[in-house]
mmCIF file of all heavy atoms in Angstrom:
data_model
loop_
_atom_site.group_PDB
_atom_site.id
_atom_site.type_symbol
_atom_site.label_atom_id
_atom_site.label_comp_id
_atom_site.label_asym_id
_atom_site.label_seq_id
_atom_site.Cartn_x
_atom_site.Cartn_y
_atom_site.Cartn_z
ATOM 1 N N GLY K 2 97.092 98.150 99.332
ATOM 2 C CA GLY K 2 97.258 97.028 100.244
ATOM 3 C C GLY K 2 97.852 95.818 99.557
ATOM 4 O O GLY K 2 97.799 95.697 98.330
ATOM 5 N N TRP K 3 98.422 94.941 100.377
ATOM 6 C CA TRP K 3 98.860 93.635 99.904
ATOM 7 C C TRP K 3 97.912 92.584 100.460
ATOM 8 O O TRP K 3 97.568 92.595 101.659
ATOM 9 C CB TRP K 3 100.284 93.337 100.375
ATOM 10 C CG TRP K 3 101.336 93.977 99.524
ATOM 11 C CD1 TRP K 3 101.988 95.144 99.752
ATOM 12 C CD2 TRP K 3 101.841 93.480 98.279
ATOM 13 N NE1 TRP K 3 102.872 95.407 98.741
ATOM 14 C CE2 TRP K 3 102.812 94.394 97.819
ATOM 15 C CE3 TRP K 3 101.590 92.334 97.518
ATOM 16 C CZ2 TRP K 3 103.517 94.216 96.631
ATOM 17 C CZ3 TRP K 3 102.281 92.151 96.337
ATOM 18 C CH2 TRP K 3 103.243 93.085 95.902
ATOM 19 N N TYR K 4 97.492 91.704 99.576
ATOM 20 C CA TYR K 4 96.616 90.595 99.920
ATOM 21 C C TYR K 4 97.371 89.290 99.659
ATOM 22 O O TYR K 4 98.326 89.254 98.907
ATOM 23 C CB TYR K 4 95.380 90.587 99.018
ATOM 24 C CG TYR K 4 94.472 91.776 99.146
ATOM 25 C CD1 TYR K 4 94.805 93.002 98.583
ATOM 26 C CD2 TYR K 4 93.251 91.668 99.799
ATOM 27 C CE1 TYR K 4 93.959 94.092 98.686
ATOM 28 C CE2 TYR K 4 92.385 92.748 99.902
ATOM 29 C CZ TYR K 4 92.743 93.954 99.332
ATOM 30 O OH TYR K 4 91.895 95.025 99.427
ATOM 31 N N ARG K 5 96.855 88.226 100.259
ATOM 32 C CA ARG K 5 97.372 86.908 99.919
ATOM 33 C C ARG K 5 96.243 85.894 99.929
ATOM 34 O O ARG K 5 95.255 86.062 100.636
ATOM 35 C CB ARG K 5 98.482 86.475 100.871
ATOM 36 C CG ARG K 5 98.042 86.218 102.291
ATOM 37 C CD ARG K 5 99.261 85.917 103.161
ATOM 38 N NE ARG K 5 98.897 85.615 104.548
ATOM 39 C CZ ARG K 5 99.786 85.474 105.528
ATOM 40 N NH1 ARG K 5 101.090 85.593 105.269
ATOM 41 N NH2 ARG K 5 99.380 85.196 106.753
ATOM 42 N N GLN K 6 96.430 84.871 99.104
ATOM 43 C CA GLN K 6 95.435 83.801 99.026
ATOM 44 C C GLN K 6 96.151 82.464 98.995
ATOM 45 O O GLN K 6 96.888 82.163 98.052
ATOM 46 C CB GLN K 6 94.549 83.958 97.791
ATOM 47 C CG GLN K 6 93.409 82.978 97.749
ATOM 48 C CD GLN K 6 92.373 83.349 96.697
ATOM 49 O OE1 GLN K 6 92.640 84.090 95.757
ATOM 50 N NE2 GLN K 6 91.164 82.830 96.866
ATOM 51 N N ALA K 7 95.952 81.709 100.050
ATOM 52 C CA ALA K 7 96.504 80.359 100.129
ATOM 53 C C ALA K 7 95.507 79.382 99.509
ATOM 54 O O ALA K 7 94.308 79.675 99.441
ATOM 55 C CB ALA K 7 96.788 79.995 101.575
ATOM 56 N N PRO K 8 95.972 78.228 99.071
ATOM 57 C CA PRO K 8 95.070 77.236 98.456
ATOM 58 C C PRO K 8 93.905 76.887 99.381
ATOM 59 O O PRO K 8 94.107 76.595 100.560
ATOM 60 C CB PRO K 8 95.981 76.032 98.239
ATOM 61 C CG PRO K 8 97.341 76.607 98.098
ATOM 62 C CD PRO K 8 97.372 77.782 99.040
ATOM 63 N N GLY K 9 92.702 76.955 98.839
ATOM 64 C CA GLY K 9 91.512 76.605 99.606
ATOM 65 C C GLY K 9 91.061 77.654 100.589
ATOM 66 O O GLY K 9 90.116 77.417 101.354
ATOM 67 N N LYS K 10 91.700 78.815 100.595
ATOM 68 C CA LYS K 10 91.347 79.864 101.544
ATOM 69 C C LYS K 10 90.937 81.134 100.809
ATOM 70 O O LYS K 10 91.244 81.315 99.638
ATOM 71 C CB LYS K 10 92.517 80.154 102.491
ATOM 72 C CG LYS K 10 92.869 78.993 103.400
ATOM 73 C CD LYS K 10 93.898 79.396 104.427
ATOM 74 C CE LYS K 10 94.199 78.257 105.388
ATOM 75 N NZ LYS K 10 95.196 78.663 106.422
ATOM 76 N N GLN K 11 90.233 82.007 101.525
ATOM 77 C CA GLN K 11 89.839 83.276 100.944
ATOM 78 C C GLN K 11 91.019 84.234 100.881
ATOM 79 O O GLN K 11 91.970 84.131 101.655
ATOM 80 C CB GLN K 11 88.704 83.900 101.776
ATOM 81 C CG GLN K 11 87.375 83.166 101.669
ATOM 82 C CD GLN K 11 86.228 83.935 102.284
ATOM 83 O OE1 GLN K 11 86.425 84.817 103.123
ATOM 84 N NE2 GLN K 11 85.018 83.621 101.869
ATOM 85 N N ARG K 12 90.927 85.156 99.957
ATOM 86 C CA ARG K 12 91.954 86.187 99.848
ATOM 87 C C ARG K 12 91.849 87.106 101.062
ATOM 88 O O ARG K 12 90.765 87.560 101.414
ATOM 89 C CB ARG K 12 91.750 86.972 98.556
ATOM 90 C CG ARG K 12 92.906 87.825 98.134
ATOM 91 C CD ARG K 12 92.726 88.305 96.701
ATOM 92 N NE ARG K 12 92.681 87.190 95.761
ATOM 93 C CZ ARG K 12 92.650 87.337 94.435
ATOM 94 N NH1 ARG K 12 92.664 88.545 93.907
ATOM 95 N NH2 ARG K 12 92.584 86.286 93.661
ATOM 96 N N GLU K 13 92.988 87.373 101.715
ATOM 97 C CA GLU K 13 92.989 88.196 102.910
ATOM 98 C C GLU K 13 93.948 89.368 102.751
ATOM 99 O O GLU K 13 94.984 89.271 102.117
ATOM 100 C CB GLU K 13 93.398 87.368 104.138
ATOM 101 C CG GLU K 13 94.787 86.777 104.080
ATOM 102 C CD GLU K 13 95.252 86.160 105.388
ATOM 103 O OE1 GLU K 13 94.687 86.478 106.449
ATOM 104 O OE2 GLU K 13 96.218 85.359 105.344
ATOM 105 N N LEU K 14 93.563 90.478 103.377
ATOM 106 C CA LEU K 14 94.372 91.689 103.369
ATOM 107 C C LEU K 14 95.380 91.595 104.509
ATOM 108 O O LEU K 14 94.996 91.409 105.666
ATOM 109 C CB LEU K 14 93.469 92.913 103.544
ATOM 110 C CG LEU K 14 94.119 94.284 103.543
ATOM 111 C CD1 LEU K 14 94.789 94.571 102.212
ATOM 112 C CD2 LEU K 14 93.063 95.353 103.846
ATOM 113 N N VAL K 15 96.667 91.734 104.190
ATOM 114 C CA VAL K 15 97.692 91.580 105.222
ATOM 115 C C VAL K 15 98.418 92.870 105.561
ATOM 116 O O VAL K 15 98.994 92.977 106.648
ATOM 117 C CB VAL K 15 98.720 90.487 104.859
ATOM 118 C CG1 VAL K 15 98.042 89.126 104.730
ATOM 119 C CG2 VAL K 15 99.460 90.825 103.571
ATOM 120 N N ALA K 16 98.398 93.844 104.675
ATOM 121 C CA ALA K 16 99.105 95.104 104.951
ATOM 122 C C ALA K 16 98.482 96.222 104.128
ATOM 123 O O ALA K 16 98.076 95.995 102.981
ATOM 124 C CB ALA K 16 100.585 94.977 104.637
ATOM 125 N N VAL K 17 98.410 97.400 104.727
ATOM 126 C CA VAL K 17 97.844 98.571 104.067
ATOM 127 C C VAL K 17 98.756 99.771 104.296
ATOM 128 O O VAL K 17 99.309 99.925 105.390
ATOM 129 C CB VAL K 17 96.435 98.897 104.609
ATOM 130 C CG1 VAL K 17 95.905 100.188 103.989
ATOM 131 C CG2 VAL K 17 95.479 97.752 104.331
ATOM 132 N N ILE K 18 98.887 100.600 103.267
ATOM 133 C CA ILE K 18 99.603 101.863 103.412
ATOM 134 C C ILE K 18 98.746 102.969 102.820
ATOM 135 O O ILE K 18 98.221 102.840 101.713
ATOM 136 C CB ILE K 18 101.001 101.797 102.755
ATOM 137 C CG1 ILE K 18 101.782 103.090 103.049
ATOM 138 C CG2 ILE K 18 100.921 101.514 101.262
ATOM 139 C CD1 ILE K 18 103.267 102.976 102.742
ATOM 140 N N SER K 19 98.582 104.040 103.569
ATOM 141 C CA SER K 19 97.775 105.164 103.100
ATOM 142 C C SER K 19 98.559 105.984 102.085
ATOM 143 O O SER K 19 99.764 105.785 101.890
ATOM 144 C CB SER K 19 97.373 106.040 104.286
ATOM 145 O OG SER K 19 98.511 106.757 104.762
ATOM 146 N N SER K 20 97.871 106.918 101.461
ATOM 147 C CA SER K 20 98.553 107.797 100.507
ATOM 148 C C SER K 20 99.640 108.610 101.211
ATOM 149 O O SER K 20 100.641 108.979 100.593
ATOM 150 C CB SER K 20 97.547 108.727 99.827
ATOM 151 O OG SER K 20 96.851 109.488 100.801
ATOM 152 N N GLY K 21 99.478 108.839 102.499
ATOM 153 C CA GLY K 21 100.456 109.609 103.265
ATOM 154 C C GLY K 21 101.530 108.780 103.936
ATOM 155 O O GLY K 21 102.445 109.320 104.564
ATOM 156 N N GLY K 22 101.414 107.456 103.832
ATOM 157 C CA GLY K 22 102.455 106.588 104.363
ATOM 158 C C GLY K 22 102.139 105.888 105.664
ATOM 159 O O GLY K 22 102.960 105.114 106.169
ATOM 160 N N SER K 23 100.961 106.107 106.232
ATOM 161 C CA SER K 23 100.584 105.369 107.442
ATOM 162 C C SER K 23 100.338 103.914 107.100
ATOM 163 O O SER K 23 99.821 103.604 106.025
ATOM 164 C CB SER K 23 99.327 105.972 108.054
ATOM 165 O OG SER K 23 99.543 107.315 108.417
ATOM 166 N N THR K 24 100.692 103.025 108.019
ATOM 167 C CA THR K 24 100.602 101.588 107.734
ATOM 168 C C THR K 24 99.796 100.841 108.789
ATOM 169 O O THR K 24 99.714 101.258 109.948
ATOM 170 C CB THR K 24 102.004 100.959 107.653
ATOM 171 O OG1 THR K 24 102.685 101.173 108.899
ATOM 172 C CG2 THR K 24 102.816 101.569 106.524
ATOM 173 N N ASN K 25 99.210 99.735 108.350
ATOM 174 C CA ASN K 25 98.515 98.805 109.240
ATOM 175 C C ASN K 25 98.757 97.394 108.759
ATOM 176 O O ASN K 25 98.909 97.167 107.557
ATOM 177 C CB ASN K 25 97.012 99.085 109.278
ATOM 178 C CG ASN K 25 96.661 100.223 110.220
ATOM 179 O OD1 ASN K 25 96.763 100.083 111.429
ATOM 180 N ND2 ASN K 25 96.274 101.348 109.656
ATOM 181 N N TYR K 26 98.779 96.459 109.713
ATOM 182 C CA TYR K 26 99.106 95.078 109.379
ATOM 183 C C TYR K 26 98.148 94.109 110.054
ATOM 184 O O TYR K 26 97.644 94.362 111.152
ATOM 185 C CB TYR K 26 100.530 94.745 109.837
ATOM 186 C CG TYR K 26 101.585 95.608 109.206
ATOM 187 C CD1 TYR K 26 102.006 96.782 109.811
ATOM 188 C CD2 TYR K 26 102.147 95.256 107.981
ATOM 189 C CE1 TYR K 26 102.960 97.594 109.227
ATOM 190 C CE2 TYR K 26 103.111 96.054 107.380
ATOM 191 C CZ TYR K 26 103.506 97.222 108.014
ATOM 192 O OH TYR K 26 104.456 98.007 107.415
ATOM 193 N N ALA K 27 97.931 92.984 109.390
ATOM 194 C CA ALA K 27 97.221 91.896 110.036
ATOM 195 C C ALA K 27 98.088 91.349 111.162
ATOM 196 O O ALA K 27 99.321 91.386 111.085
ATOM 197 C CB ALA K 27 96.918 90.798 109.023
ATOM 198 N N ALA K 28 97.436 90.828 112.175
ATOM 199 C CA ALA K 28 98.173 90.315 113.328
ATOM 200 C C ALA K 28 99.156 89.219 112.938
ATOM 201 O O ALA K 28 100.226 89.080 113.539
ATOM 202 C CB ALA K 28 97.185 89.800 114.367
ATOM 203 N N SER K 29 98.811 88.454 111.923
ATOM 204 C CA SER K 29 99.635 87.318 111.528
ATOM 205 C C SER K 29 100.978 87.723 110.932
ATOM 206 O O SER K 29 101.903 86.911 110.872
ATOM 207 C CB SER K 29 98.875 86.435 110.533
ATOM 208 O OG SER K 29 98.487 87.188 109.405
ATOM 209 N N VAL K 30 101.097 88.970 110.468
ATOM 210 C CA VAL K 30 102.334 89.406 109.821
ATOM 211 C C VAL K 30 102.999 90.578 110.535
ATOM 212 O O VAL K 30 104.117 90.952 110.196
ATOM 213 C CB VAL K 30 102.100 89.771 108.342
ATOM 214 C CG1 VAL K 30 101.409 88.624 107.613
ATOM 215 C CG2 VAL K 30 101.311 91.059 108.192
ATOM 216 N N LYS K 31 102.323 91.143 111.512
ATOM 217 C CA LYS K 31 102.844 92.320 112.198
ATOM 218 C C LYS K 31 104.185 92.008 112.839
ATOM 219 O O LYS K 31 104.361 90.981 113.480
ATOM 220 C CB LYS K 31 101.848 92.800 113.254
ATOM 221 C CG LYS K 31 102.112 94.204 113.748
ATOM 222 C CD LYS K 31 100.953 94.702 114.587
ATOM 223 C CE LYS K 31 101.129 96.150 114.962
ATOM 224 N NZ LYS K 31 99.969 96.680 115.727
ATOM 225 N N GLY K 32 105.143 92.895 112.619
ATOM 226 C CA GLY K 32 106.486 92.695 113.157
ATOM 227 C C GLY K 32 107.415 91.953 112.217
ATOM 228 O O GLY K 32 108.631 91.934 112.436
ATOM 229 N N ARG K 33 106.841 91.342 111.184
ATOM 230 C CA ARG K 33 107.662 90.593 110.215
ATOM 231 C C ARG K 33 107.612 91.210 108.815
ATOM 232 O O ARG K 33 108.596 91.137 108.084
ATOM 233 C CB ARG K 33 107.187 89.145 110.139
ATOM 234 C CG ARG K 33 107.243 88.392 111.455
ATOM 235 C CD ARG K 33 106.921 86.918 111.265
ATOM 236 N NE ARG K 33 105.554 86.708 110.769
ATOM 237 C CZ ARG K 33 105.270 86.073 109.630
ATOM 238 N NH1 ARG K 33 106.237 85.610 108.858
ATOM 239 N NH2 ARG K 33 104.007 85.899 109.277
ATOM 240 N N PHE K 34 106.478 91.786 108.448
ATOM 241 C CA PHE K 34 106.304 92.365 107.119
ATOM 242 C C PHE K 34 106.305 93.891 107.232
ATOM 243 O O PHE K 34 105.815 94.455 108.208
ATOM 244 C CB PHE K 34 104.977 91.936 106.511
ATOM 245 C CG PHE K 34 104.893 90.491 106.109
ATOM 246 C CD1 PHE K 34 105.858 89.567 106.476
ATOM 247 C CD2 PHE K 34 103.820 90.042 105.346
ATOM 248 C CE1 PHE K 34 105.765 88.231 106.104
ATOM 249 C CE2 PHE K 34 103.716 88.714 104.954
ATOM 250 C CZ PHE K 34 104.681 87.812 105.339
ATOM 251 N N THR K 35 106.814 94.541 106.178
ATOM 252 C CA THR K 35 106.798 95.997 106.106
ATOM 253 C C THR K 35 106.325 96.428 104.727
ATOM 254 O O THR K 35 106.912 96.030 103.719
ATOM 255 C CB THR K 35 108.192 96.580 106.375
ATOM 256 O OG1 THR K 35 108.653 96.154 107.663
ATOM 257 C CG2 THR K 35 108.151 98.101 106.340
ATOM 258 N N ILE K 36 105.280 97.238 104.702
ATOM 259 C CA ILE K 36 104.762 97.770 103.443
ATOM 260 C C ILE K 36 105.307 99.177 103.252
ATOM 261 O O ILE K 36 105.440 99.949 104.214
ATOM 262 C CB ILE K 36 103.215 97.748 103.421
ATOM 263 C CG1 ILE K 36 102.681 98.124 102.035
ATOM 264 C CG2 ILE K 36 102.630 98.636 104.509
ATOM 265 C CD1 ILE K 36 101.171 97.921 101.881
ATOM 266 N N SER K 37 105.653 99.503 102.019
ATOM 267 C CA SER K 37 106.136 100.842 101.696
ATOM 268 C C SER K 37 105.695 101.192 100.282
ATOM 269 O O SER K 37 105.208 100.326 99.544
ATOM 270 C CB SER K 37 107.666 100.919 101.835
ATOM 271 O OG SER K 37 108.297 100.018 100.952
ATOM 272 N N ARG K 38 105.870 102.443 99.921
ATOM 273 C CA ARG K 38 105.469 102.851 98.576
ATOM 274 C C ARG K 38 106.408 103.925 98.056
ATOM 275 O O ARG K 38 106.996 104.685 98.818
ATOM 276 C CB ARG K 38 104.019 103.341 98.580
ATOM 277 C CG ARG K 38 103.789 104.630 99.339
ATOM 278 C CD ARG K 38 102.288 104.905 99.503
ATOM 279 N NE ARG K 38 101.624 105.090 98.210
ATOM 280 C CZ ARG K 38 100.314 104.991 98.033
ATOM 281 N NH1 ARG K 38 99.518 104.701 99.049
ATOM 282 N NH2 ARG K 38 99.797 105.188 96.843
ATOM 283 N N ASP K 39 106.512 103.976 96.735
ATOM 284 C CA ASP K 39 107.249 105.017 96.032
ATOM 285 C C ASP K 39 106.293 105.597 95.009
ATOM 286 O O ASP K 39 106.096 105.016 93.938
ATOM 287 C CB ASP K 39 108.501 104.426 95.376
ATOM 288 C CG ASP K 39 109.388 105.492 94.748
ATOM 289 O OD1 ASP K 39 108.876 106.581 94.421
ATOM 290 O OD2 ASP K 39 110.587 105.230 94.576
ATOM 291 N N ASN K 40 105.678 106.721 95.352
ATOM 292 C CA ASN K 40 104.670 107.296 94.456
ATOM 293 C C ASN K 40 105.264 107.761 93.139
ATOM 294 O O ASN K 40 104.590 107.738 92.110
ATOM 295 C CB ASN K 40 103.955 108.455 95.151
ATOM 296 C CG ASN K 40 103.043 107.985 96.273
ATOM 297 O OD1 ASN K 40 102.595 106.844 96.278
ATOM 298 N ND2 ASN K 40 102.781 108.854 97.225
ATOM 299 N N ALA K 41 106.510 108.170 93.149
ATOM 300 C CA ALA K 41 107.152 108.604 91.906
ATOM 301 C C ALA K 41 107.276 107.451 90.913
ATOM 302 O O ALA K 41 107.302 107.663 89.696
ATOM 303 C CB ALA K 41 108.525 109.192 92.199
ATOM 304 N N LYS K 42 107.369 106.234 91.446
ATOM 305 C CA LYS K 42 107.487 105.048 90.594
ATOM 306 C C LYS K 42 106.174 104.281 90.491
ATOM 307 O O LYS K 42 106.136 103.212 89.876
ATOM 308 C CB LYS K 42 108.573 104.128 91.140
ATOM 309 C CG LYS K 42 109.973 104.725 91.103
ATOM 310 C CD LYS K 42 111.011 103.734 91.629
ATOM 311 C CE LYS K 42 112.403 104.324 91.553
ATOM 312 N NZ LYS K 42 113.427 103.369 92.062
ATOM 313 N N ASN K 43 105.112 104.802 91.119
ATOM 314 C CA ASN K 43 103.820 104.095 91.110
ATOM 315 C C ASN K 43 103.984 102.656 91.569
ATOM 316 O O ASN K 43 103.431 101.724 90.965
ATOM 317 C CB ASN K 43 103.182 104.128 89.723
ATOM 318 C CG ASN K 43 102.540 105.462 89.412
ATOM 319 O OD1 ASN K 43 102.479 106.351 90.256
ATOM 320 N ND2 ASN K 43 102.063 105.624 88.195
ATOM 321 N N THR K 44 104.753 102.461 92.634
ATOM 322 C CA THR K 44 105.080 101.113 93.086
ATOM 323 C C THR K 44 104.882 101.000 94.591
ATOM 324 O O THR K 44 105.224 101.925 95.338
ATOM 325 C CB THR K 44 106.529 100.757 92.717
ATOM 326 O OG1 THR K 44 106.684 100.852 91.302
ATOM 327 C CG2 THR K 44 106.869 99.337 93.150
ATOM 328 N N VAL K 45 104.332 99.875 95.002
ATOM 329 C CA VAL K 45 104.213 99.547 96.424
ATOM 330 C C VAL K 45 105.000 98.270 96.672
ATOM 331 O O VAL K 45 105.050 97.381 95.815
ATOM 332 C CB VAL K 45 102.727 99.409 96.839
ATOM 333 C CG1 VAL K 45 102.031 98.301 96.088
ATOM 334 C CG2 VAL K 45 102.610 99.214 98.332
ATOM 335 N N TYR K 46 105.634 98.196 97.823
ATOM 336 C CA TYR K 46 106.511 97.078 98.153
ATOM 337 C C TYR K 46 106.023 96.353 99.402
ATOM 338 O O TYR K 46 105.324 96.921 100.231
ATOM 339 C CB TYR K 46 107.936 97.584 98.410
ATOM 340 C CG TYR K 46 108.527 98.373 97.281
ATOM 341 C CD1 TYR K 46 108.496 99.766 97.287
ATOM 342 C CD2 TYR K 46 109.124 97.739 96.192
ATOM 343 C CE1 TYR K 46 109.037 100.510 96.257
ATOM 344 C CE2 TYR K 46 109.666 98.468 95.149
ATOM 345 C CZ TYR K 46 109.627 99.857 95.195
ATOM 346 O OH TYR K 46 110.155 100.577 94.156
#
C-alpha cells in the first residue's frame, strides 16, 4: 500500500494492491491515483 502523512495529521492508507494485482483506493484519491507493481523489480508505483 501507499500511505501519506500531512503535517499535523495521522498517516493514512490511500491505495492498496494485492499480490495478484487487485486494487483499492481511498475515496479522496479514487479516479486520480493509480497503484501498480512490478514483482520482478520488487517495486510498487
Side-chain angles (χ1 to χ4, degrees):
W3 279 97
Y4 296 76
R5 67 185 182 188
Q6 187 167 21
K10 295 187 177 181
Q11 290 191 339
R12 195 167 298 186
E13 62 171 341
L14 181 63
V15 298
V17 175
I18 186 166
S19 72
S20 58
S23 299
T24 59
N25 279 290
Y26 300 92
S29 57
V30 307
K31 196 170 186 177
R33 301 187 297 122
F34 290 11
T35 302
I36 188 171
S37 61
R38 67 190 297 162
D39 186 337
N40 290 336
K42 295 182 178 180
N43 283 355
T44 301
V45 61
Y46 304 97

